[in-house]
Amino acid sequence: MDEINLRQKFLLILIIVTVSRNAISYSEDVAQSFRGLFTRHSNKRLSSIQADFVSNVSLDVCTGECVAAARFQCKSFSYDSIRRSCFLYAVNLNDPDVRLVDVEGRDHYETSYLKQFARLPSHEVRLMTSQSISSISPEECARRCILETRFKCRGFNYEHVVGQPVRCLLVESSPATGSQAAMTNEATDFYQKETEGAISSFINYGMGMLRPTITSEVYQRSVRGVTADGCAQRCLDETTFDCLSFDYVHEDDNRQNICHLSQYIAANVQGLVVDSVNPRHNHFERIERFLNYFYATPYAVIQGNNMKTFTKVTPNRCARLCMEEDAFVCRSFDYTVVPEATCLLSSKTSRDVGGLDTASGHVHHFEMKPLLDCGGNLTEPEGGFASPNWPRNYAHHENCVWNITTSRNKVIELRFTHLDLGLQSSDECSDEDDRLVVTDSGYRPYCVKPNTKMVTTKTNSVRLQFLSNAEVDAQGFRAFYRAEWTCNMLLKESPGEFASPKWPENYPSGSRCTWRITAPEGQRVHIVFTSFALEHHALGHCNEKLDHVRILDGGTVGSSLIGLYCGSRPSFAVVSSGQDVLVQFSSDNDPQASRPGFHAKFVFEAMNGSISDKDSRFINIGEGVEASKWQGTEEEDTRVVGSLLSSEDLLSARDESTSNGFRSAMWAIVTCLLLLVGALAVALFLVIRHYRRKINGEMEKSVDEVDSYPMESVPLQSIESSFRKNQFNNRVDLIGGAEAVAASCTITSRNEDAATTFEEEKLPSASTALMHPRPPPRLHRPQSSYGKYHEDNVKNINIEDKTQV
């Protein structure tokens, strides 16, 4: 069956208009598909007189009227949103003496057929042209190509040679068909019509091939004798490696086409090179997920309007950064391949700056496509949506509904990067305002308030309705959603499952979650933790002040403790003794301690432990599941799977957790203090024993020296000086502590024994000399030479000791 091209659609609409102009009625899907052919100018109209007028129609019908106009060539139209009137024009802003005029409540729409083409600056397709038209704009040339019926127009060369009239050259071939390569030409731009088939999943970067590298081979597979579309299909079907690009050679020396598949893109190998031997080759790169939302214009740039820069990122990553930017509305980005794979975000488009500049190096421009969807059913685990015509202002009289449904036991987290619905009245959810109404399944509808950043549903199904009035418009909203695991829920349906926030990704710090699982009367709860990876605790004991899971055998915080779990552990099971189980998860405020968390499945079983085969297979008893590979249950259910726990239960749970944490902390502190005191006692005992041994040894040595001197040859002054030295040292040790006192007592006793030996000389006792030192009595005894030397030496020692004191 031959495919129906756009021209046939136009003719079909034209027939409907001709048969009954008054009875014309476009379906919303068909009429809305034409919005992509026009560019909107808010609160503007043309200065010219309209060629036709249609009253009491919607914007989509007005768009279809312009496309299907038969009496004249409709180039633009204006729409009055208040009176719901349509004004059709045979001119546009490219015509002389035509300009825009400000007017409230009316928007002007210019045709934008160029959106259906991919521009390749400074390139041309060198084949015999099927039609040549002079002195027309690229927009008009694009319109001629789309509406051409004599041949299948696949694109056109647009020549802009200095000093000559511009020319539009329609061609029947393109690099996508594999019959002709795009060759470089500074004075020509090639516009390739949007293609179909596998080649539509790739961007053509024109003449060039991946730069060879020394360390690795840039091509992983090469195939001869295939078309460009066949080469693209092989890249998409490749399973041995991740094919991201291919180089296509048009007719080599053997007049065969060659397809080179690669896992690299130009940014990985520092750009492209041109083969001087055979320049008939083009480079194609895969349009990855986020690049699908952008128009690509290779070798073009917006000069001086970049607002944020990132380096060492891929084009797909750059596209995602633009879509998720929340500091400003990102509408386009420039991507520089060399030297650092740089991403330059901008709030401007080519229309805002009067066109793009041709880049001499490996720089490419990407502009966000307008999001035309007005509602839809979203069932993916994550995704995004926006007000119609984003990233530009939405139109009047919009009524869009999005239904988001995810798997059971999960809720939906909505994140708004931008939310601007114009001025709001004091009444919440007023019919006079533009508004976004959220209806959580089973709950009362409410309107999203201005400056809202995050909305989390209570169930796994939500309805969002966007309504705009006829008065004013605004920027609109951009939202992303993601299915998240429930937190603080009452779970009553078996089988079921729950997990830490954001599992299998790392859970956020400061998380507090409580799940109460309640089985029917006469049954108990069987839980299997399929994955468990929390923060590691020291000494092998779980500390409730750190990340942990606490399981209670009952439905209240006062129930008996089944276990406290932390760290990483293999799959394990927990079975309650009754019909209720309370599971509490807590993480501290340290983001560095965050881990993937845990995932658990549960079923209800009889008190004797019997369980159905279906439930046994569901929880996979005795088997673990890797977090990175688990994709969730296949079935989808819009039922409410649980309800929020009461605030009293959550508060008491937190109080209990805090109390238990305080008691654990106190026990830890007391244990540490006891260990510290014990260590100090042991250290003090060892120090005392060391000094006692040292002092006793020195004193015994001193007494032995005194006893070894012959009494008749040792002067009594020497004995007195030695005794005084021991006195001085003992007094210093006495100041040192209890051990010095003990040593002093020992020395005193020994000195008293020595004093008894010289009782006939009437010397004072050692204890008396220690407490009341005084000069010894003068003795009339001749001194030997040894005695004189010893006395002088003792005097020197006494001087040094006094200096130290």
Side-chain angles (χ1 to χ4, degrees), residues 53-357:
F53 170 79
V54 185
S55 62
N56 195 27
V57 293
S58 67
L59 173 62
D60 292 324
V61 173
C62 184
T63 305
E65 289 281 356
C66 184
V67 171
R71 294 188 300 105
F72 63 96
Q73 178 185 339
C74 180
K75 294 183 178 181
S76 64
F77 69 91
S78 294
Y79 183 75
D80 191 324
S81 59
I82 299 176
R83 298 176 178 84
R84 299 175 66 86
S85 301
C86 177
F87 304 87
L88 306 181
Y89 296 91
V91 296
N92 59 19
L93 293 176
N94 293 323
D95 293 314
D97 301 326
V98 177
R99 67 184 188 280
L100 290 174
V101 179
D102 293 334
V103 58
E104 285 293 333
R106 187 182 297 188
D107 300 330
H108 182 67
Y109 292 81
E110 290 274 319
T111 57
S112 183
Y113 292 101
L114 280 176
K115 290 182 179 179
Q116 309 299 316
F117 292 79
R119 179 187 173 210
L120 191 58
S122 302
H123 283 73
E124 66 173 342
V125 172
R126 297 174 183 173
L127 280 180
M128 182 181 296
T129 59
S130 300
Q131 188 175 359
S132 177
I133 310 150
S134 299
S135 302
I136 62 173
S137 66
E139 175 67 22
E140 178 62 23
C141 190
R143 179 178 179 275
R144 294 287 186 96
C145 184
I146 289 177
L147 301 179
E148 183 58 56
T149 57
R150 291 169 297 174
F151 60 92
K152 190 169 185 177
C153 180
R154 299 184 182 273
F156 61 90
N157 293 320
Y158 192 77
E159 294 182 352
H160 44 85
V161 180
V162 178
Q164 298 181 13
V166 295
R167 285 202 310 164
C168 167
L169 307 173
L170 306 184
V171 297
E172 297 183 60
S173 182
S174 72
T177 62
S179 56
Q180 179 63 39
M183 310 293 286
T184 57
N185 186 340
E186 295 295 332
T188 304
D189 295 338
F190 177 69
Y191 291 81
Q192 179 175 297
K193 191 177 177 181
E194 285 189 347
T195 58
E196 298 178 356
I199 198 70
S200 63
S201 299
F202 292 81
I203 299 173
N204 183 3
Y205 285 94
M207 191 168 68
M209 59 192 304
L210 292 175
R211 185 185 300 275
T213 63
I214 300 176
T215 57
S216 61
E217 178 61 47
V218 295
Y219 300 129
Q220 282 66 53
R221 178 169 298 179
S222 296
V223 183
R224 289 180 177 270
V226 296
T227 64
D229 190 72
C231 186
Q233 188 63 55
R234 288 176 179 267
C235 186
L236 294 176
D237 295 340
E238 184 59 53
T239 58
T240 58
F241 63 93
D242 188 13
C243 183
L244 297 178
S245 71
F246 67 88
D247 290 339
Y248 190 77
V249 181
H250 297 262
E251 297 184 359
D252 63 354
D253 296 337
N254 298 323
R255 302 193 64 81
Q256 281 188 323
N257 299 331
I258 304 178
C259 167
H260 299 293
L261 306 183
S262 177
Q263 63 183 353
Y264 302 108
I265 59 176
N268 300 135
V269 295
Q270 293 292 301
L272 305 176
V273 294
V274 176
D275 187 353
S276 58
V277 178
N278 182 16
R280 298 167 56 85
H281 47 252
N282 288 164
H283 178 69
F284 295 80
E285 289 190 4
R286 192 169 181 173
I287 302 175
E288 297 183 79
R289 176 184 175 186
F290 296 100
L291 284 176
N292 276 305
Y293 297 95
F294 290 82
Y295 297 114
T297 307
Y299 310 107
V301 65
I302 288 182
Q303 296 286 0
N305 288 280
N306 301 311
M307 303 182 67
K308 189 174 286 189
T309 302
F310 301 90
T311 58
K312 298 181 181 179
V313 296
T314 64
N316 186 64
R317 175 62 177 168
C318 188
R320 180 171 185 173
L321 291 171
C322 182
M323 294 179 63
E324 297 181 352
E325 178 59 47
D326 57 3
F328 59 92
V329 178
C330 180
R331 297 183 174 93
S332 69
F333 67 89
D334 294 331
Y335 186 80
T336 304
V337 176
V338 291
E340 288 190 304
T342 304
C343 169
L344 308 167
L345 306 186
S346 175
S347 63
K348 305 294 184 181
T349 63
S350 57
R351 191 184 78 179
D352 300 322
V353 298
L356 298 175
D357 296 325

Side-chain angles (χ1 to χ4, degrees), residues 284 453 483 522 539 590 607-608 627:
F284 295 80
K453 294 296 184 182
L539 303 178
D590 182 9
M607 289 298 182
N608 60 5

